[in-house]
């Protein structure tokens, strides 16, 4: 089991550019979460999916952020246009029922 | 709504000292409780879990007991090592709220040799 796979590990982009973060969850997991982590705000839930359907996106900061899960093995988080305040580590996590959730290694995003 | 409150850090201990990190929670349903650990530059790893009252989760010498009467899930270890230095997060998953995972703010632990 390769775990939750996120790409890229690091992303540096200029303000105004589009950024796409990718996540491959663990096979068989029916929940997928996107989190953002910063020193100031800690861990913030952005959105989560159940069986590929978005359930709660109330944590998405604004319309510049969007997330999709076209199938059970892939999800994307897109920021368009990106801003310096979006700089953070973005984590994807997947899980099944109440047995805990497995996190990916994260994508460190820097917007300059 | 659901919430998790952790003891404020940072916590600094000497090697072989006893560790307690306090965690209390508020939930509307019947939550499962978790401790996650995050080492520098890495993602969060599940350390231990408990799914019902009086359950004890344990792993790598760490323990936590689900106390419904005090709504607590304190993390303990009898003898910490330098390699335990990390950030520890308490979390709950409420079975009544579509399994959203709620985290505490994290506690930074540093163990000195």
């Amino acid at each position: 089991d390769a775990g939750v796979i996120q790409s890229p590990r690091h992303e540096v982009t200029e303000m105004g550019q589009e950024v796409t973060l990718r996540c491959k969850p663990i096979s068989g997991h029916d929940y997928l979460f996107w989190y953002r982590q910063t020193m100031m705000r800690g861990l913030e839930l952005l959105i989560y999916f159940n069986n590929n359907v978005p359930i709660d996106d109330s944590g998405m900061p604004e319309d510049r952020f969007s997330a999709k899960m076209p199938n059970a093995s892939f999800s994307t988080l897109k920021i368009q246009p990106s801003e310096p305040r979006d700089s953070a580590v973005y984590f994807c996590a997947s899980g099944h029922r109440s047995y805990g959730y497995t996190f990916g290694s994260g994508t460190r995003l820097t917007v300059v | 709504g659901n919430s998790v409150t952790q003891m404020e850090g940072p916590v600094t201990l000497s090697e072989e000292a006893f560790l307690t990190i306090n965690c209390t929670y508020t939930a509307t349903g019947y939550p499962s409780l978790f401790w996650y650990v995050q080492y520098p530059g890495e993602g969060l790893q599940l350390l231990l879990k408990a799914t019902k009252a009086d359950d004890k989760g344990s792993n790598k010498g760490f323990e936590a007991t689900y106390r419904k009467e005090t709504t607590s899930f304190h993390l303990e270890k009898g003898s910490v090592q330098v390699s335990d230095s990390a950030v520890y997060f308490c979390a709950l998953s409420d079975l009544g709220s579509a399994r959203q995972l709620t985290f505490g703010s994290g506690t930074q632990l540093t163990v000195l040799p």
Side-chain angles (χ1 to χ4, degrees), chain A residues 35 37 48 56 91 100-101 103, chain B residues 36 38 44 98-101:
Chain A
Y35 284 88
Q37 186 178 38
Y48 76 96
D56 184 355
F91 289 105
Y101 298 86
F103 280 72
Chain B
Y36 281 83
Q38 185 178 30
L44 280 74
R99 317 217 187 271
Q100 182 173 322
L101 195 57

Side-chain angles (χ1 to χ4, degrees), chain B:
Chain B
N2 298 335
S3 66
V4 176
T5 303
Q6 279 184 245
M7 100 188 239
E8 298 238 347
V11 174
T12 302
L13 296 173
S14 298
E15 204 165 24
E16 299 184 1
F18 185 86
L19 168 71
T20 300
I21 300 178
N22 290 338
C23 171
T24 56
Y25 67 89
T26 302
T28 54
Y30 301 92
S32 294
L33 302 174
F34 308 90
W35 277 100
Y36 281 83
V37 58
Q38 185 178 30
Y39 298 101
E42 298 184 11
L44 280 74
Q45 301 174 24
L46 179 63
L47 180 60
L48 54 84
K49 68 179 190 290
T51 57
K52 62 182 187 297
D54 299 324
D55 270 1
K56 176 184 283 188
S58 61
N59 186 25
K60 300 180 181 179
F62 291 89
E63 293 183 341
T65 300
Y66 189 140
R67 300 287 188 200
K68 188 175 180 182
E69 63 275 14
T70 55
T71 62
S72 64
F73 193 56
H74 304 321
L75 182 68
E76 296 182 336
K77 186 175 185 181
S79 176
V80 294
Q81 306 300 312
V82 173
S83 58
D84 294 327
S85 298
V87 180
Y88 292 82
F89 292 90
C90 185
L92 73 81
S93 176
D94 189 339
L95 301 182
S97 67
R99 317 217 187 271
Q100 182 173 322
L101 195 57
T102 304
F103 283 93
S105 56
T107 301
Q108 172 76 55
L109 170 67
T110 301
V111 181
L112 302 176

